[in-house]
Amino acid sequence: MKSTIQTLLAVVALVALTAVTASAQATATQSLNVNASVNSRAKLTLGAAAINFADADPDVSPTLTAAALSVDVKARTSAGASVTVTVLADGNLVSGSDNIGIANLTWTAGGAGFVAGTMNATVAQSLAGLTGSGDYSGTQTYSLVNSWSYATGSYTATITYTLSVP
Amino acid sequence: MLQVRFPLPLLAILLLAAPAATAQQSLTATLTADIGVLGKITVSALTLTFPDADPDAVPLVPAAGGPLTIVAKARSGLGSTVTLTVATPDDLRSGTDVIPASALSWTASGPGFASGTLASGVARTLGAWTGSGARTGTQTWFLANSWAYASGMYSLTLTYTLTVP
């Protein structure tokens, strides 16, 4: 019996020694490092793949005007970096052996950062000058000088739009 | 009348040698075990990485590596509310460029775990339970993608805090 009591007391003492001291509140924390890569990107979207000018009397319509073309520019770059959109024609407007000088093609522009200009087949012309990352929208409305001197025909030219994001 | 007399030492020996039925004794002992308040949080990774992606194609970028496994172990008072929060003191930063911490959000699975959106300087609840127990859940992080972000490598530190009252 004495042995039993001693054993019991020993167990009590052991439990008391190994028990965790109670406190009012416990907190546990762990840290997690977060890294996110944001690279430079560029995306250019035109509202149409073709621009058409309808025939008109040069006296009545000395300038032919096409429907406004929407230009959507999406750029991701470093803060303060210059984002540019340029246009460049592949040559004059051509119909067989006839041509209309590409400088007769001009445009007006709408939207912050978008500028008016005159087409060139040698040097890319600025359509938009923007700063930093963002989703920018503008419009470009082409006009073609009309003239009695043009030979009849269906003239075409290809214009290349280039978005540059450093 | 016959009387049998034993010397006292001999009487003591006889009493000790008596059958158990006649030597019963009851004793009590109090057993005390202090079970303290305790909390332990384990997150399956130490780093969360978001790869670059096209904002139009991937408006919400999931973290590489998939969901995190979260294990929250708590020993608390009966009926006490155990909470697990996620906090960051700052936004995502790359030099002077900033992506707000609120661009980070998560979905969660597991009993007691909840989805949420991060905010700098504010602890957001990831889990809440009642009483003691070991709880396991998953947390999948997303970064809201945008063309407006300046390019760079952004970082911040998250702190998971398990509070056991």
Side-chain angles (χ1 to χ4, degrees):
Chain A
M1 182 60 67
K2 185 178 179 184
S3 174
T4 302
I5 295 170
Q6 286 176 336
T7 302
L8 190 57
L9 290 175
V11 169
V12 172
L14 183 62
V15 170
L17 283 173
T18 56
V20 177
T21 303
S23 60
Q25 176 175 293
T27 58
T29 62
Q30 182 166 334
S31 295
L32 181 67
N33 296 314
V34 178
N35 298 313
S37 298
V38 176
N39 296 345
S40 291
R41 286 180 175 274
K43 188 176 289 187
L44 180 64
T45 305
L46 300 178
I51 300 158
N52 298 306
F53 293 98
D55 182 46
D57 181 338
D59 293 336
V60 176
S61 303
T63 301
L64 307 177
T65 302
L69 177 70
S70 66
V71 180
D72 186 28
V73 177
K74 294 178 178 178
R76 212 156 64 177
T77 184
S78 56
S82 292
V83 174
T84 61
V85 180
T86 60
V87 289
L88 179 66
D90 64 344
N92 290 330
L93 286 153
V94 174
S95 173
S97 58
D98 300 322
N99 68 76
I100 297 173
I102 198 66
N104 289 298
L105 185 65
T106 61
W107 70 86
T108 58
F114 287 78
V115 294
T118 301
M119 191 59 68
N120 192 290
T122 306
V123 179
Q125 301 296 300
S126 177
L127 170 59
L130 309 162
T131 302
S133 298
D135 184 349
Y136 306 97
S137 293
T139 58
Q140 183 186 30
T141 303
Y142 279 104
S143 296
L144 178 66
V145 174
N146 201 0
S147 172
W148 285 107
S149 65
Y150 295 162
T152 56
S154 182
Y155 292 81
T156 60
T158 299
I159 299 167
T160 300
Y161 289 72
T162 302
L163 168 62
S164 298
V165 179
Chain B
M1 182 176 184
L2 177 63
Q3 286 188 333
V4 178
R5 291 179 183 273
F6 297 100
L8 277 177
L10 180 58
L11 180 59
I13 290 170
L14 289 175
L15 284 175
L16 285 174
T22 59
Q24 200 168 40
Q25 185 177 11
S26 294
L27 292 174
T28 60
T30 301
L31 180 66
T32 302
D34 291 330
I35 306 299
V37 175
L38 201 58
K40 187 181 290 185
I41 172 72
T42 305
V43 181
S44 61
L46 297 176
T47 303
L48 201 62
T49 302
F50 293 95
D52 179 60
D54 181 338
D56 293 335
V58 189
L60 273 179
V61 182
L68 299 174
T69 299
I70 313 287
V71 180
K73 297 179 179 178
R75 214 161 56 183
S76 67
L78 191 67
S80 297
T81 299
V82 176
T83 58
L84 175 61
T85 60
V86 185
T88 179
D90 203 354
D91 295 316
L92 285 154
R93 291 190 180 276
S94 174
T96 57
D97 299 322
V98 175
I99 295 176
S102 58
L104 289 170
S105 61
W106 72 85
T107 58
S109 66
F113 285 85
S115 301
T117 301
L118 200 62
S120 62
V122 181
R124 298 294 200 189
T125 299
L126 168 60
W129 305 274
T130 302
S132 299
R135 285 90 180 192
T136 300
T138 62
Q139 183 186 32
T140 304
W141 283 95
F142 296 92
L143 173 67
N145 204 359
S146 171
W147 284 104
Y149 298 158
S151 56
M153 175 61 80
Y154 293 80
S155 63
L156 64 69
T157 299
L158 298 174
T159 300
Y160 290 75
T161 302
L162 179 66
T163 304
V164 184

